[in-house]
């Protein structure tokens, strides 16, 4: 009888120990699962699809500020590197969102990536995502700010540049009226009035042309053009001025190259370079214009023997209204818009413009355009 009770007691104890052991295993499993979720948290379902659909940069941060998910735009903007947020300003905002639970929207100036000095202007928005995560959205507004600054500078420059010839016309008209009984003075003032009027007309025309170029990103009706004909027409427009200054315009051998574009605009671009070369060259000197093509690139080069350009000014010569020599530009009627117009014309033709210059040794400007035959081959997928 006692042995039966011992068996029953032993069985009961075994069941209790087994139940306790199973409970401990279940508790340990739950703790392990929670710990795993902390170490390897899972982002809520659907976030991947949402991030892929966003045009703006997007990042999901866990409680330790590790980057759990990110959009390609965030990486390209340099916000994320090695699965970490690069900018401490963004981490500080994420901490504020966690503490308050309220969304935040701010405009920031951030460095573009972990290296370099380039910066970007961004509009960031942060909000909690569920109970554990923070969603960060960033919109790059650098280009919008740049265009706004360009617009303000453009308006300020126009106001300044127009003020001088308009004031001169007014003063000359008044002087002309007062000197009505003096034929010599009348002729002198009339000549100066004609000069200022012409300068004002050129400035207005170039401002209109530049505004039109900046408003279009591509050519409306491009056609295949012989680059030699473009160069010949541009050079002919400067022959009278060059002959008056005894400057020789030397044009190289025909190249036979063909480009695709707008004939009027390309003639204007080459003419502006030739006209600049003539204006900044000494009497009796030489201006050379040449064309060559290789590897699908057509190059138009204008070389002068003029005063040259200081190295510090080379990066600015394509800016609107910038003049290397203010006094000489005023004397020759320069507006400071010619090279800016050339740059925009070349850009909408898919090319670029380069410059080499040395003070006292002259300058060389080179327009580089894609050759028409190579453009056609690229579109059709054929091989030459």
């Amino acid at each position: 009888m006692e042995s039966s009770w011992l068996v029953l007691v032993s069985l009961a104890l075994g069941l209790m120990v087994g139940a306790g052991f199973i409970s401990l295993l279940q508790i340990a499993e739950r703790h392990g699962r929670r710990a795993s979720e902390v170490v390897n948290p899972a982002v809520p379902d659907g976030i991947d699809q949402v991030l892929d659909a966003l045009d703006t940069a997007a990042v999901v941060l866990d409680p330790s500020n590790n980057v759990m998910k990110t959009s390609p735009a965030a990486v390209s903007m340099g916000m994320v590197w090695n699965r970490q947020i690069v900018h401490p300003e963004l981490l500080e905002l994420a901490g504020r969102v966690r503490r308050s639970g309220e969304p935040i929207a701010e405009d920031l100036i951030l460095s573009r990536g972990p290296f370099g000095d380039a910066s970007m202007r961004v509009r960031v928005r942060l909000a909690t995502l569920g109970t554990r995560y923070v969603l960060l959205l960033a919109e790059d507004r650098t280009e919008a700010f740049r265009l706004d600054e360009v617009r303000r500078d453009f308006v300020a420059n126009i106001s300044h540049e127009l003020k001088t010839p308009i004031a001169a016309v007014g003063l000359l008209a008044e002087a002309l009226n007062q000197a009505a009984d003096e034929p010599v003075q009348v002729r002198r003032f009339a000549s100066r009035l004609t000069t200022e009027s012409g300068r004002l007309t050129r400035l207005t025309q170039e401002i209109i042309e530049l505004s039109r170029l900046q408003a279009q990103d591509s050519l409306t009706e491009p056609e295949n053009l012989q680059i030699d004909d473009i160069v010949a027409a541009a050079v002919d427009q400067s022959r009278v001025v060059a002959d008056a200054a005894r400057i020789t315009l030397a044009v190289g051998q025909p190249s036979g190259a063909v480009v695709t574009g707008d004939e009027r605009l390309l003639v204007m671009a080459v003419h502006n370079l030739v006209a600049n070369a003539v204006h900044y060259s000494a009497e009796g000197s030489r201006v050379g214009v040449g064309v060559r093509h290789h590897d699908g690139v057509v190059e138009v080069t204008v070389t002068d023997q003029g005063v040259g350009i200081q190295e510090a000014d080379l990066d600015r010569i394509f800016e609107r209204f910038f003049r290397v020599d203010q006094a000489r530009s005023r004397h020759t009627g320069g507006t400071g818009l010619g090279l800016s117009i050339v740059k925009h014309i070349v850009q909408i033709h898919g090319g670029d413009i380069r410059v080499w210059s040395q003070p006292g040794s002259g300058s060389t400007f080179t327009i580089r355009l894609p050759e028409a035959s190579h453009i056609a081959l690229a579109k059709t997928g054929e091989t030459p």
Side-chain angles (χ1 to χ4, degrees), residues 223-224 258-261 296 370-384:
E223 55 183 343
N224 286 346
V258 178
V259 296
T260 299
E371 192 171 1
S373 59
H374 284 255
I375 294 176
L377 289 172
K379 289 182 177 179
T380 60
E382 298 175 7
T383 54

Side-chain angles (χ1 to χ4, degrees), residues 295-341:
D295 298 331
V297 178
V298 177
E299 295 184 349
V300 180
T301 302
V302 178
T303 303
D304 63 56
Q305 300 172 332
V307 296
I309 304 169
Q310 296 290 337
E311 184 177 357
D313 294 330
L314 287 176
D315 292 336
R316 300 192 59 197
I317 58 174
F318 295 105
E319 294 179 8
R320 294 182 302 275
F321 302 110
F322 180 78
R323 299 181 180 91
V324 174
D325 185 342
Q326 297 283 345
R328 183 174 178 83
S329 294
R330 299 290 184 188
H331 176 70
T332 59
T335 63
L337 291 174
L339 290 180
S340 184
I341 289 175

Side-chain angles (χ1 to χ4, degrees), residues 14-219:
L15 290 173
M16 292 174 62
V17 171
F21 184 70
I22 291 174
S23 298
L24 289 174
L25 288 177
Q26 291 176 341
I27 293 172
E29 182 184 1
R30 284 197 297 271
H31 281 288
R33 186 164 56 249
R34 291 174 182 171
S36 177
E37 290 176 354
V38 171
V39 176
N40 300 301
V43 176
D45 293 337
I47 293 299
D48 288 345
Q49 290 80 359
V50 172
L51 296 189
D52 290 339
L54 290 176
D55 292 332
T56 56
V59 179
V60 177
L61 299 175
D62 70 3
S64 299
N65 285 332
N66 295 311
V67 175
M68 303 305 302
K69 297 292 181 182
T70 183
S71 66
V75 178
S76 64
M77 287 171 60
M79 294 172 54
V80 177
W81 186 67
N82 197 23
R83 296 188 63 81
Q84 296 292 324
I85 289 291
V86 172
H87 307 95
E89 302 95 326
L90 299 178
L91 295 179
E92 193 273 332
L93 291 178
R96 285 169 52 187
V97 169
R98 290 193 185 93
R99 290 190 296 270
S100 66
E102 298 294 328
I104 292 177
E106 287 194 10
D107 293 315
L108 300 175
I109 300 178
L110 304 175
S111 60
R112 192 175 288 276
F115 312 112
D117 298 327
S119 61
M120 57 183 174
R121 291 178 176 268
V122 295
R123 176 70 172 175
V124 296
R125 298 177 180 85
L126 296 93
T128 57
L129 184 64
T131 58
R132 302 179 51 80
Y133 306 99
V134 170
L135 175 64
L136 185 155
L137 301 175
E139 178 186 2
D140 190 350
R141 305 182 67 184
T142 306
E143 186 67 12
F145 274 91
R146 188 190 70 80
L147 291 176
D148 191 51
E149 290 176 355
V150 167
R151 179 187 59 80
R152 289 197 303 268
D153 291 343
F154 191 48
V155 171
N157 288 333
I158 287 177
S159 301
H160 173 73
E161 294 295 329
L162 289 177
K163 188 182 300 182
T164 301
I166 289 175
V169 168
L171 290 173
L172 288 170
E174 182 179 348
L176 191 62
N177 183 54
Q178 294 177 354
D181 297 330
E182 303 178 36
V184 176
Q185 293 293 340
V186 168
R187 286 194 295 271
R188 185 168 72 89
F189 289 139
S191 176
R192 292 182 58 186
L193 187 60
T194 301
T195 300
E196 291 298 331
S197 175
R199 179 179 164 204
L200 184 59
T201 300
R202 287 192 300 273
L203 180 58
T204 303
Q205 290 174 342
E206 291 191 355
I207 288 173
I208 293 172
E209 189 64 49
L210 183 57
S211 299
R212 184 183 296 118
L213 290 170
Q214 290 178 317
Q216 68 180 94
D217 295 328
S218 59
L219 299 170

